[in-house]
Amino acid sequence: MPSSPTPSPTPEPSGVRRRSLLGAAAAAPVLASLAGAGSAAAAPASAGADPAGGPRALPGGGDLGPNVIVFDPSTANIQGRLDEIFKQQESAQFGTGRYALLFKPGTYSGLNAQLGFYTSIAGLGLSPDDTTINGDVTVDAGWFDGNATQNFWRSAENLALVPVSGTNRWAVSQAAPFRRMHVRGGLNLAPDGYGWASGGYIADSRIDGTVGPYSQQQWYTRDSSVGGWLNAVWNMVFSGVEGAPAQSFPEPPYTTLETTPVSREKPFLYLDGAEYRVFLPEKRTDARGVSWGNGTPRGTSLPLTQFYVAKPADSAATLNQALEEGLHLLLTPGIYHLDRTVEVNRAGTVVLGLGYATLIPEGGVTALKVADVDGVRLAGFLVDAGPVNSATLLEVGPEGASADHSANPTTVQDVFVRIGGAGPGKATTSLVVNSRHTIVDHTWVWRADHGDGVGWETNRADYGVVVNGDDVLITGLFVEHFNKYDVQWNGERGRTVFFQNEKAYDAPDQAAIQNGSVKGYAAYKVGDDVAEHEGWGLGSYCYYNVNPSIVQHHGFAAPNRSGVRFHGLLVVSLGGNGQYECVINDTGSPTSGTDTVPSKVVQYP
């Protein structure tokens, strides 16, 4: 990468990926629920009784635990505390530390909050502008020699920033959302030195200045406002973004939708006076721009007393008891070991994680299942596969789910799945979506290619995301390294806006990935019987570094019919480590030699 910004950087020619270097619309009033009452589906009638009317055995509300650190403008030595946590978390990629840094409404000056692994920073106002930091929230890659492609599992939400230099640096890759942020200046998405980067995701944010992705290979921005966008490398996708570049794929590779078909922003914790509440933004159709406008957002609110504030020592039985008693779940930071499935059976239930709370299923159970009910919201947590193979890790709706949830869909937001890396883990299928109308908004489903417990059979995981439900929408889909299909979509009228994928690095030979007569499993497979499906801005990369002679026939496979449509497809061979013969089905040019140059298809069919 160049030593100073240039408007049209090109990717490094030698492979460019993180694991290769490791070796291997306007403002609206808040609804009446802010005064106390949530929607009937979202909460029990009172904070002290279960849905059947009896007393609760488990309390609602309570202390947020030692790893939720709350600051107000009068707090002494805020910078020192931020630096202490960053020093601990900067390179702790597979460590056990988990932190949420929360700032009460007000103005803070002279801060540089550097974020390491499993660290979330957020304001506690209803609007980002309620909490202003005259300073920076920084992610850089000094810990990894200027390479940002492993800057995972961290987040910034609900803050206004006035960057010291005029531009804030946010050099991240997967699983690092930037939500409900107001940057009163520019945003630089590259690390110092403009090294490699492989992100990323912005939603519901306003960046007054220019966003400079520089070396970022791909990026997805949703329902936001930007003052400008500097460049593109491989795949930049926008939906509902004011100020976004015009549609121009393949050159420059901008895929731009004027609106997002359906969106509902992530729930968030905030303060109403001295009381903690959780805000539940309303669903928007054909959304464009931020949800919070020039004031407060539109939606409903729940008091913390209607949540069981879970701690890592809680058992799955306790979490299920809380749910059965009509409480929602707030998962405080830490690691939760589950010897049975957490079962979400009540419409409108919220499961909200803070600081990358992590669920680890034991004995081969599924970590969490959702019934075929309206309006469940899952947000802000990580599911880490256990050493005994789980058939599934997260299920949204039971097999055969068929209820219509169009008015009040289930949302899955910033929920990330990992198999291996932090230790041995196996799962046949990671995320299964059976419920109709589900919205998955930003997920990274990752079979680890580095760390502990990694190998073709060691962290075996055949399928990343399987969608069986009809009318499912996924915005910001990142799925990587699965032994077979990374995404298999069987439901009708499915839609994906932005997809980023790498095929598994560690396949030992051609036979290991052979799919009948087809060379390799597609990264994104639409079922043969599907009549309607649509995708925008989808990319698949191969880096078969264990056996560079492996050939992958295509990145995408779908039935050839008029109702199945794709816009802006690409495949890339990273440094010639494996090759693609086609982009989708038998269409598209092969990737070329050792040149890391995408092969693209503008429209299919």
Side-chain angles (χ1 to χ4, degrees):
M1 285 298 107
S3 59
S4 59
T6 59
S8 300
T10 56
E12 289 284 341
S14 60
V16 314
R17 294 300 284 161
R18 55 182 167 272
R19 291 60 124 184
S20 62
L21 286 192
L22 228 106
V30 180
L31 299 188
S33 62
L34 285 179
S39 66
S46 74
D50 72 17
R56 286 199 183 109
L58 293 174
D63 179 70
L64 298 178
N67 287 11
V68 176
I69 296 136
V70 181
F71 303 102
D72 65 45
S74 67
T75 302
N77 195 23
I78 297 175
Q79 188 64 55
R81 189 73 173 107
L82 296 174
D83 291 346
E84 177 188 356
I85 294 167
F86 176 65
K87 183 177 180 181
Q88 176 183 318
Q89 299 299 116
E90 180 182 11
S91 58
Q93 182 170 180
F94 298 113
T96 58
R98 303 286 189 274
Y99 291 94
L101 312 175
L102 306 182
F103 286 75
K104 293 182 179 181
T107 300
Y108 302 78
S109 296
L111 298 182
N112 180 18
Q114 300 183 81
L115 300 187
F117 287 97
Y118 313 109
T119 305
S120 298
I121 189 170
L124 287 169
L126 265 177
S127 165
D129 290 323
D130 292 341
T131 311
T132 298
I133 293 178
N134 291 308
D136 297 83
V137 172
T138 301
V139 178
D140 206 347
W143 74 278
F144 199 42
D145 299 323
N147 173 5
T149 59
Q150 290 184 30
N151 281 350
F152 314 140
W153 305 306
R154 63 201 75 195
S155 66
E157 298 185 54
N158 205 30
L159 292 166
L161 303 178
V162 184
V164 170
S165 69
T167 300
N168 188 77
R169 186 184 301 279
W170 186 256
V172 301
S173 286
Q174 288 77 10
F178 196 81
R179 285 185 180 271
R180 289 180 59 78
M181 295 289 286
H182 184 189
V183 181
R184 299 175 192 165
L187 189 63
N188 181 349
L189 303 180
D192 186 31
Y194 300 89
W196 302 329
S198 179
Y201 174 92
I202 294 172
D204 200 26
S205 294
R206 176 176 291 152
I207 293 89
D208 294 344
T210 297
V211 179
Y214 301 108
S215 53
Q216 285 286 355
Q217 292 154 3
Q218 67 274 317
W219 199 275
Y220 174 51
T221 308
R222 178 183 63 72
D223 298 352
S224 294
S225 173
V226 299
W229 193 274
L230 189 59
N231 70 283
V233 176
W234 291 344
N235 191 33
M236 298 288 169
V237 181
F238 308 84
S239 67
V241 179
E242 298 167 346
Q247 169 70 33
S248 59
F249 192 94
E251 293 298 335
Y254 294 131
T255 299
T256 302
L257 288 73
E258 285 296 304
T259 62
T260 302
V262 186
S263 61
R264 189 173 70 191
E265 299 304 330
K266 178 175 173 283
F268 61 92
L269 192 67
Y270 77 101
L271 276 172
D272 181 15
E275 179 192 17
Y276 283 107
R277 302 182 71 91
V278 173
F279 194 82
L280 309 178
E282 72 171 14
K283 186 186 75 169
R284 298 201 290 167
T285 302
D286 295 324
R288 181 173 174 83
V290 299
S291 69
W292 40 276
N294 294 315
T296 54
R298 183 181 290 274
T300 60
S301 173
L302 297 171
L304 194 62
T305 53
Q306 292 184 5
F307 285 77
Y308 179 69
V309 180
K311 305 299 195 299
D314 285 327
S315 66
T318 299
L319 300 181
N320 281 327
Q321 181 183 347
L323 291 167
E324 289 163 6
E325 292 181 2
L327 290 164
H328 307 273
L329 294 181
L330 185 75
L331 304 173
T332 63
I335 297 174
Y336 297 71
H337 292 273
L338 307 175
D339 62 354
R340 66 186 70 178
T341 300
V342 176
E343 299 189 36
V344 179
N345 296 318
R346 181 171 48 89
T349 299
V350 179
V351 180
L352 175 62
L354 301 179
Y356 287 86
T358 301
L359 309 180
I360 303 181
E362 297 180 338
V365 303
T366 297
L368 190 148
K369 293 183 179 181
V370 180
D372 193 19
V373 294
D374 273 359
V376 171
R377 305 183 195 226
L378 310 179
F381 58 89
L382 173 63
V383 179
D384 216 346
V388 177
N389 186 75
S390 293
T392 59
L393 292 173
L394 178 62
E395 292 183 20
V396 181
E399 184 177 352
S402 60
D404 186 327
H405 303 298
S406 56
N408 190 10
T410 285
T411 47
V412 181
Q413 299 175 285
D414 300 346
V415 173
F416 308 118
V417 179
R418 178 172 68 193
I419 302 95
K426 290 186 177 182
T428 304
T429 304
S430 293
L431 170 61
V432 180
V433 180
N434 292 316
S435 286
R436 293 181 62 195
H437 303 102
T438 298
I439 301 170
V440 180
D441 173 44
H442 190 227
T443 188
W444 185 39
V445 181
W446 184 57
R447 175 182 168 264
D449 58 90
H450 64 271
D452 294 331
V454 171
W456 183 249
E457 296 296 342
T458 306
N459 62 328
R460 181 86 194 187
D462 284 350
Y463 307 102
V465 176
V466 174
V467 179
N468 297 316
D470 295 340
D471 307 292
V472 171
L473 170 67
I474 305 186
T475 53
L477 177 60
F478 300 74
V479 188
E480 297 186 305
H481 307 309
F482 286 84
N483 296 76
K484 293 184 178 179
Y485 292 123
D486 298 274
V487 174
Q488 185 168 3
W489 204 302
N490 303 314
E492 286 290 352
R493 297 175 298 281
R495 294 175 289 183
T496 295
V497 184
F498 181 89
F499 172 66
Q500 185 264 326
N501 165 264
E502 289 179 345
K503 295 303 298 173
Y505 290 179
D506 54 349
D509 50 41
Q510 190 73 41
I513 67 161
Q514 194 69 15
N515 181 16
S517 62
V518 180
K519 298 173 184 175
Y521 288 81
Y524 189 109
K525 164 70 173 175
V526 179
D528 295 340
D529 297 328
V530 172
E532 294 182 52
H533 187 90
E534 194 159 11
W536 296 262
L538 292 80
S540 176
Y541 318 149
C542 72
Y543 183 73
Y544 288 115
N545 64 328
V546 171
N547 189 335
S549 69
I550 290 175
V551 175
Q552 176 84 23
H553 181 62
H554 47 216
F556 304 90
N560 286 300
R561 51 179 61 101
S562 60
V564 179
R565 304 183 298 275
F566 290 92
H567 318 271
L569 294 165
L570 63 99
V571 297
V572 185
S573 169
L574 304 177
N577 290 276
Q579 297 290 339
Y580 290 94
E581 293 179 325
C582 304
V583 178
I584 180 169
N585 295 342
D586 301 320
T587 298
S589 301
T591 53
S592 56
T594 59
D595 294 334
T596 305
V597 177
S599 177
K600 301 174 182 177
V601 168
V602 177
Q603 301 283 349
Y604 187 87

